[in-house]
Amino acid sequence: MTAVSLESFLDQLRQFRADASAALDAASDAAAFEAARVEFLGARSGRLKAIQKQLGGLSVADKPAAGRHFNEAKATVEALLTAAQDRVAATTAGVTAEAIDVTLPGTPVPLGHVHPITQTIRRVQEIMGRLGFESVDGPEVEDQWHNFQALAIGAEHPARDPLDNFYLAVARGADPLLLRSQTSTVQIRVMETRQPPLRIVSLGRVYRPDTADATHYPMFHQVEGLLVEKGTTMAHLKSVLRLFASSFLGGDVHVRFRPSFFPFTEPSVEVDMEWGGRWIEMGGAGMVDPAVLEAVGYDPREVSGFAFGLGVERIAARRYGVADIRDFYRNDVRFLQQF
Ligand code: DAH
């Protein structure tokens, strides 16, 4: 056996500890620990084993000190290995605890849905579409021609009262613009750009400075219908409204006309619908006034038409059994999620 000096033996032990410690610090999983364990402490070809073999080459006088250092180094590296294994086991357990257990039953994610007023609008569009009415839009900021004049609502008509309208500080020509107070504006806009025959329906917001209560709101929605064809009569109007009402409300609905007045229809009626034993006023209707047909360049001797305007909140409230239309706009999910 070649002689070994105590100094070189201790150097090797020091190097062994330093290398083992660095390797264990760098190891982060079970495979790396096993590799380090085999390299440093492996019983057959580990580095500690190789150092141990040199013990026999030391002088008898140095052996006790060398043996003590050897045992110390061995214990230290064994402890480092255990500590490092514990450290990684702890973090791995943490990761496992936080990980998603895909075998657990899912928690439902609450899904939103379309607002009941929008649902109502879409349903009305669909029903009217089946009756041949094309859905069209019009602007919410209107001029006085479309909101009043062309609808035969003259300059002195009380419907133009500033207290009943949201006039804007912006004018077109001499007249201030306004937030439209009715969707009848769209009748004019369509007739100005198209020729009869036509069947349109227009659903959208209208604005009036009303105090909010169970049946009023300063912003609400209307559905406007217009049909202009040769030979149109009130009988067609009533048939369309009854077909609409029974499709929308379902089952046996009665439609009743009460004589009324609107500047843009002649004759004019209020439309009531009975469903489940209760009559409700839904809006107005009538035969398009010849003056309106003339205002858009139609010949009233050639064509005639009917028009109607219903309150969307009203028909939605009726259909869903809502007592206070303000609930539609409170954004309370407990209310909205019922639809
Ligand atoms: N525009 C009317 C209103 O807001 C409702 C109305 C009545 C519309 C008669 C019509 C109609 O088309 O023919 O009170």
Side-chain angles (χ1 to χ4, degrees), residues 181-184 187 208 222 224-225 262 264-265 269 283-286 307-309:
S181 62
Q182 51 184 350
T183 46
S184 302
Q187 292 185 32
R208 293 179 196 175
Q222 288 186 329
E224 191 80 19
F262 297 100
F264 39 92
T265 43
V269 293
F308 61 87

Side-chain angles (χ1 to χ4, degrees), residues 245-265:
S246 54
S247 303
F248 185 81
L249 297 169
D252 207 14
V253 183
H254 296 279
V255 175
R256 172 170 84 185
F257 286 168
R258 277 178 295 118
S260 184
F261 174 79
F262 297 100
F264 39 92
T265 43

